[in-house]
Amino acid sequence: ELTISRYSQAKNKMLRIIIVAAILLLCCSKAFADIEQAKRIYRENCAPCHGEAGKGDGVGARSLPVRPADHTNAAVMNLRSDTFLRDVIAKGGSAMGLSSFMPAWQGVFKAKEIEDLVAYIRSLALPPK
């Protein structure tokens, strides 16, 4: 009986450790990204060039000499770091060695909105990162 009691206490302690670790992981992950807000921002500001589904086929893309990035292309998107995507959104394409037709959104979007956009763009890549 003493052994069963110790086993039960150890099992409960381990369960508490796992729960705390899971909570910490959630706090440090993109789990708290406001995807709905990012989707709205994307639809209003990015979709005209990148398209509603993020395929780079928006209405405005037809008039651009360079096709906008296809955010659904996992082969390309999953190679790009979150920092790179954040910088492209904030600083614009030319600052990152990409098309000058990608505008800089720093000062228009808050840092949190850019983080949310990165998470949303990640969700468009199939399969996502």
Side-chain angles (χ1 to χ4, degrees), residues 8-27:
S8 180
Q9 288 173 350
K11 188 176 173 183
N12 286 339
K13 186 176 182 180
M14 182 59 75
L15 183 59
R16 284 192 300 263
I17 291 170
I18 291 170
I19 289 171
V20 168
I23 290 170
L24 287 173
L25 282 173
L26 282 174
C27 290

Side-chain angles (χ1 to χ4, degrees), residues 9 26 49 57 62 73 86 88 99 124:
Q9 288 173 350
L26 282 174
C49 294
D57 60 354
R62 293 181 219 146
N73 184 343
R86 192 177 317 116
V88 170
S99 172
L124 297 175

Side-chain angles (χ1 to χ4, degrees), residues 17-92:
I17 291 170
I18 291 170
I19 289 171
V20 168
I23 290 170
L24 287 173
L25 282 173
L26 282 174
C27 290
C28 298
S29 73
K30 294 184 180 86
F32 291 109
D34 189 340
I35 297 296
E36 285 308 310
Q37 175 177 300
K39 189 175 184 178
R40 180 188 55 76
I41 292 170
Y42 189 92
R43 199 175 294 134
E44 292 172 4
N45 301 281
C46 310
C49 294
H50 292 282
E52 286 289 323
K55 293 183 179 288
D57 60 354
V59 191
R62 293 181 219 146
S63 64
L64 296 174
V66 177
R67 184 176 174 166
D70 177 354
H71 295 146
T72 66
N73 184 343
V76 172
M77 295 306 294
N78 291 343
L79 293 175
R80 296 188 168 164
S81 69
D82 288 354
T83 301
F84 180 81
L85 296 177
R86 192 177 317 116
D87 287 346
V88 170
I89 295 167
K91 299 174 183 177

